[in-house]
Amino acid sequence: MAAALLAALVLAAPGLEAFQAELAASDSATAVLQRHCDARAPGENIIAAGLPTQADPVATAASRRDLRLRPWAPVGYRRVELSCAGVVLSRAENWYAPGRLPPAKNRALETTRTPFGVVARPLDYRRRPLKSEAPAAGQGVLRNTAILVRPDGKPIAKVVETYSDQVLAPAR
């Protein structure tokens, strides 16, 4: 009962429906966040700051299945906060298939603060939503799970994105 009430309250947050529609209309959540960033801090770019953690083995196994990877194929993992001008807009977990990315893209993911969506955008991926839900209390306003797929149909990444209430804050 309490969880259903919380979900209803979160989904009723002003602007959430429009934000969800904006995400649904785009293959890149990063591009959507960049548009929000442009409105609040022109000239700033979304930054992906790494968060220290290790991937949950169960989640990694599920991601391996979702990415259709063989048991021996490597799985990359990033956990980041995506921020604009110091304001955290989302936290994301990303499992990806390094063998399906060019070496330069893998280096960028390993060594820069560039968001996955920016690094992988030239690969012309499509976003296939898996799930959208209200996160636990105090953990944001929306959590989306999606698979990013190359034009040849091969998945390159699974993302779990949790958006902070800041994505709904009006631009100043």
Side-chain angles (χ1 to χ4, degrees), residues 15 74 138 154 167 170:
K154 290 186 179 175
V167 298

Side-chain angles (χ1 to χ4, degrees), residues 132-158:
S132 187
E133 61 191 345
Q139 293 186 8
V141 295
L142 177 66
R143 177 173 293 129
N144 284 342
T145 303
I147 301 290
L148 308 181
V149 180
R150 295 186 319 200
D152 66 3
K154 290 186 179 175
I156 58 171
K158 178 180 180 180

Side-chain angles (χ1 to χ4, degrees), residues 30-125:
T30 305
V32 171
L33 292 179
Q34 185 61 56
R35 286 193 295 273
H36 282 255
C37 185
D38 292 343
R40 70 174 55 222
E44 292 288 328
N45 287 321
I46 295 292
I47 301 295
L51 296 172
T53 190
Q54 288 192 316
D56 173 8
V58 173
T60 298
S63 296
R64 177 182 296 284
R65 283 189 304 276
D66 291 339
L67 294 171
R68 300 191 321 242
L69 292 172
R70 299 198 190 276
W72 59 85
V75 178
Y77 177 74
R78 284 178 107 195
R79 182 171 176 250
V80 298
E81 286 183 336
L82 298 172
S83 62
C84 169
V87 176
V88 175
L89 300 178
S90 75
R91 289 180 177 79
E93 285 189 279
N94 180 311
W95 293 265
Y96 61 96
R100 295 181 184 154
L101 301 175
K105 303 288 181 209
N106 283 309
R107 273 192 303 282
L109 291 170
E110 294 165 5
T111 63
T112 73
R113 295 174 61 161
T114 306
F116 187 93
V118 172
V119 170
R121 189 71 253 153
L123 301 176
D124 196 30
Y125 64 82

Side-chain angles (χ1 to χ4, degrees), residues 2-7 9-10 133-143 162-163:
L5 178 60
L6 175 63
L9 290 173
V10 168
E133 61 191 345
Q139 293 186 8
V141 295
L142 177 66
R143 177 173 293 129
T162 304
Y163 298 96

Side-chain angles (χ1 to χ4, degrees), residues 11 15-25 132-133 141-142 144 168:
L11 293 175
L16 183 58
E17 193 171 308
F19 180 68
Q20 285 179 295
E22 194 176 357
L23 288 169
S132 187
E133 61 191 345
V141 295
L142 177 66
N144 284 342
L168 305 178

